[in-house]
Amino acid sequence: MKLSKVILTGVVGLVSLGLAACGGGGGGAASGDGSADAGSGETREFKLAFNQTDQHPQYKAGVEFGKRLEEATDGRYSIRVYPNEQLGTQSDVIQNLSNGTVELMYVGGPVMEGFNKDFAVYNLPYMFASQEAQREIFRDEELNADLFTSIEESKSITVLAALFAGVRNVYNSKGPVQTPEDLDGMKIRVQQSDSQVRMIELMGAVASPMGQGDVYSALQTGVLDGAENNETVYNALKHDEVAKYYSYTRHLMIPDYLLISTKALESMSEEDRQALLDLVPEIQQMADDGFQDFIQESKANSESIGAQFNDDVDVEAFRARVQPLIEETVNENEVRQTLYQAIQEANAANPAS
Ligand code: GCU
């Protein structure tokens, strides 16, 4: 497994800003910028914002990240994970990450399109043939280096790692979905990006982009007929109580990203920064590993309260419908074509099982 590549991606980012040369906090020198002082015994606590529950593998991986960072930096740095949107929606938190008041966050792929539209390639429907194909792409440092550092200068955001975030399917309060025609006229929540709006429209529904935290009440009051997400969100956010029909359209396998404020990275001594970057592959692996079990538990929980999982879906019909979105997005520029080509190769090497 090519786990070291993501670390290198972080390093490439630092080099691109010339940060590695300037040394940030200067080996633990006292600072007025919030960096930890090696000599003072102070611990600087990084905030890690998360919009899901403390049962999620990404939460657990974040907690472990904190423990290991504290150990690796002799207590100069620690991490506190804030679950359940405590620090705000992903769209709000990413602004705070950009201005440096939040240091770390997990974010859904579509939010990144607001900063660099090339991220959209990884958010396209039916893009990855298997979790293994996706994993191969996400571990490819050379392929991702430019993309993952592309908003360091403009937004002070560095992508540390891309993480598996399940497979997304459509669910609603009306009935099982088999074909695109079944979605006709239904208002379906999507994540807030152009690619997601266009996708659900091509799939046959009416798009309703909104933050994750607002979905439950919108389903309950009938403002929405449904949404699309993986089984874990469906259960953890209790959407299964108000939208009983979950249908396996399998239209998306999109990443969550672990982001860090470039300013925060810059403020660390070279040694501490390297210690943090060295931990990323372990954390990435940990967040991925727990996911399949979490999906199975979530599905069983939803079934126990009467949710119905329908696997009789004409996936090929949905795949055909969204083809124009794939072409429009990928043909836009060479960066996207390169990413797309790499995905095709990873898919060929790791077909669906
Ligand atoms: C998943 C994903 C989140 C995202 C959410 C959403 O839970 O992991 O990052 O915010 O879906 O649909 O908004």
Side-chain angles (χ1 to χ4, degrees), residues 4 36 55 97 101 122 139 163 210 232 238 245 250 255 286 322:
S4 64
Q55 298 306 305
L97 191 92
T101 56
Y122 291 162
R139 305 292 201 265
L163 310 170
M210 67 175 73
T232 72
K238 303 189 188 307
Y245 302 97
R250 296 196 169 83
M286 216 177 291
V322 296

Side-chain angles (χ1 to χ4, degrees), residues 302-348:
S302 294
E303 275 170 339
S304 76
I305 63 155
Q308 292 182 29
F309 288 84
N310 159 44
D311 211 352
D312 182 15
V313 176
D314 187 353
V315 168
E316 289 316 313
F318 285 105
R319 193 195 298 275
R321 286 278 197 117
V322 296
Q323 201 53 37
L325 169 62
I326 296 171
E327 281 158 24
E328 286 156 25
T329 307
V330 172
N331 292 337
E332 184 75 23
N333 63 39
E334 263 181 51
V335 171
R336 300 185 196 179
Q337 283 159 15
T338 304
L339 297 176
Y340 180 77
Q341 199 42 48
I343 296 171
Q344 302 321 302
E345 285 162 25
N347 285 346

Side-chain angles (χ1 to χ4, degrees), residues 37-293:
D37 181 337
S40 72
E42 276 173 34
T43 299
R44 181 172 174 203
E45 188 176 85
F46 280 172
K47 295 186 271 306
L48 196 175
F50 187 43
N51 72 347
Q52 297 173 70
T53 70
D54 60 6
Q55 298 306 305
H56 196 288
Q58 288 176 12
Y59 175 87
K60 295 175 185 168
V63 170
E64 196 55 36
F65 193 11
K67 281 191 198 146
R68 294 185 190 186
L69 182 64
E70 204 166 338
E71 235 172 74
T73 61
D74 294 324
R76 287 185 292 281
Y77 287 89
S78 68
I79 293 171
R80 174 151 175 216
V81 191
Y82 292 81
N84 301 317
E85 281 190 355
Q86 278 173 41
L87 299 183
T89 64
Q90 290 185 342
S91 319
D92 290 340
V93 174
I94 201 164
Q95 299 302 334
N96 294 331
L97 191 92
S98 182
N99 69 34
T101 56
V102 170
E103 293 84 5
L104 291 154
M105 78 180 290
Y106 291 117
V107 73
V111 177
M112 301 302 281
E113 292 174 34
F115 300 114
N116 177 356
K117 288 201 183 309
D118 293 342
F119 278 98
V121 177
Y122 291 162
N123 303 332
L124 289 171
Y126 300 108
M127 195 47 26
F128 297 99
S130 63
Q131 189 179 344
E132 291 69 31
Q134 192 191 51
R135 184 179 293 134
E136 192 172 304
I137 292 293
F138 290 171
R139 305 292 201 265
D140 190 333
E141 167 240 328
E142 213 179 302
L143 179 72
N144 291 313
D146 288 346
L147 183 68
F148 286 7
T149 58
S150 61
I151 55 170
E152 287 187 331
E153 266 177 89
S154 59
K155 294 289 166 190
S156 182
I157 293 172
T158 301
V159 178
L160 288 177
L163 310 170
F164 176 67
V167 175
R168 296 172 79 101
N169 303 287
V170 161
Y171 49 91
N172 72 86
S173 55
K174 307 278 185 216
V177 169
Q178 232 175 338
T179 66
E181 287 67 36
D182 293 332
L183 283 178
D184 191 26
M186 276 198 210
K187 269 201 231 144
I188 301 290
R189 179 267 174 171
V190 288
Q191 296 175 85
Q192 293 148 299
S193 87
D194 293 347
S195 72
Q196 301 303 291
V197 167
R198 177 101 169 102
M199 173 196 73
I200 207 75
E201 285 175 355
L202 288 168
M203 287 171 72
V206 179
S208 198
M210 67 175 73
Q212 180 172 256
D214 296 327
V215 177
Y216 180 87
S217 61
L219 287 169
Q220 197 179 32
T221 56
V223 169
L224 286 174
D225 298 306
E228 52 80 52
N229 218 314
N230 61 52
E231 297 89 336
T232 72
V233 169
Y234 181 56
N235 177 241
L237 300 191
K238 303 189 188 307
H239 298 175
D240 50 9
E241 289 178 0
V242 283
K244 294 228 167 293
Y245 302 97
Y246 190 100
S247 298
Y248 279 103
T249 43
R250 296 196 169 83
H251 57 281
L252 281 179
M253 193 192 288
I254 54 181
D256 281 332
Y257 294 103
L258 174 59
L259 305 182
I260 189 161
S261 144
T262 314
K263 287 191 192 101
L265 264 182
E266 184 183 9
S267 73
M268 300 175 85
S269 72
E270 207 175 321
E271 184 197 346
D272 287 341
R273 184 164 61 228
Q274 194 56 49
L276 183 148
L277 294 171
D278 284 348
L279 289 170
V280 170
E282 300 165 31
I283 303 310
Q284 180 185 37
Q285 188 63 38
M286 216 177 291
D288 276 17
D289 281 347
F291 218 103
Q292 289 301 344
D293 287 345

